[in-house]
């Protein structure tokens, strides 16, 4: 093999080695949590634009559980259990959570002690911070406190 042939082979090998981490990052086969970006986002019955749209989300910040990835598509599940495929560009890794069930108390301290700061109704969505075994930091439009982990969807 000539010197230029060896250089070419080395360049191909190096490009394959450097491409592997990028491909591995895209193959996060979940599950992991994400949230919706600001624009309307289509939920499709399959991983491609040719598949039928089953739902259109218009509310930014809703938490979504990513179950699987295929290329630029994510199989997601929402709070109601609806599943479908969404383009990754409609999702962000910002962690959010939505109050589920009944009214959730937002407390002053990370162990649920301290004064009651306010109550949040089911469907209220906020930014999720660090979670302990039972309580999570929760920020709703700049109002911060701690919510019981069991009271929100998106903290599992």
């Amino acid at each position: 093999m000539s010197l230029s042939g060896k250089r070419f082979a080395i360049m191909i090998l190096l490009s394959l080695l450097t491409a592997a981490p990028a491909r591995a990052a895209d193959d996060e086969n979940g599950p992991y949590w994400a949230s919706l970006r600001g624009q309307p986002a289509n939920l499709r019955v399959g991983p491609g634009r040719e598949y039928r749209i089953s739902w259109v989300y218009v509310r930014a910040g809703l938490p979504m559980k990513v179950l699987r990835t295929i290329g630029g598509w994510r199989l997601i599940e929402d709070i109601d259990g609806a599943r479908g495929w969404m383009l990754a560009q409609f999702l962000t890794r910002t962690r959010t959570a939505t109050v589920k069930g009944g009214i959730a108390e937002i407390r002053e301290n990370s162990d649920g002690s301290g004064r009651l700061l306010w109550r949040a109704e089911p469907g209220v969505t906020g930014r999720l911070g660090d979670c302990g075994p039972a309580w999570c930091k929760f920020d709703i439009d700049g109002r911060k406190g701690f919510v019981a982990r069991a009271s929100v969807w998106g903290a599992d």
Side-chain angles (χ1 to χ4, degrees):
M1 182 181 278
S2 71
L3 184 58
S4 63
K6 287 181 184 178
R7 284 185 184 156
F8 180 73
I10 290 172
M11 286 175 36
I12 294 294
L13 181 61
L14 287 175
S15 69
L16 290 173
L17 290 174
T18 57
R23 193 172 42 247
D26 189 41
D27 286 343
E28 295 180 55
N29 281 324
Y32 65 88
W33 290 97
S35 59
L36 291 179
R37 291 190 189 274
Q39 68 269 33
N42 296 330
L43 185 69
R44 296 183 179 269
V45 297
R49 291 183 189 269
E50 67 276 8
Y51 288 95
R52 178 179 57 81
I53 296 171
S54 59
W55 194 258
V56 178
Y57 295 93
V58 294
R59 188 171 161 203
L62 289 177
M64 297 288 169
K65 186 177 228 179
V66 177
L67 305 172
R68 211 169 109 198
T69 67
I70 295 179
W73 292 89
R74 304 294 181 261
L75 175 62
I76 59 124
E77 180 178 13
D78 71 12
I79 191 170
D80 297 320
R83 289 184 178 190
W85 292 90
M86 184 176 289
L87 276 169
Q89 71 190 30
F90 295 117
L91 299 168
T92 177
R93 284 300 197 108
T94 301
R95 288 289 307 268
T96 61
T98 300
V99 175
K100 65 180 183 177
I103 292 175
E105 293 185 345
I106 311 301
R107 294 281 178 173
E108 187 174 36
N109 298 322
S110 62
D111 62 357
S113 67
R115 65 187 171 98
L116 173 65
L117 299 174
W118 76 90
R119 292 179 176 91
E121 292 185 1
V124 169
T125 298
R127 183 172 273 217
L128 192 67
D130 293 334
C131 290
W135 292 83
C136 296
K137 189 179 255 184
F138 201 45
D139 179 342
I140 304 169
D141 295 328
R143 296 180 71 189
K144 299 175 184 179
F146 293 87
V147 66
R149 189 177 192 141
S151 297
V152 293
W153 192 80
D156 296 333

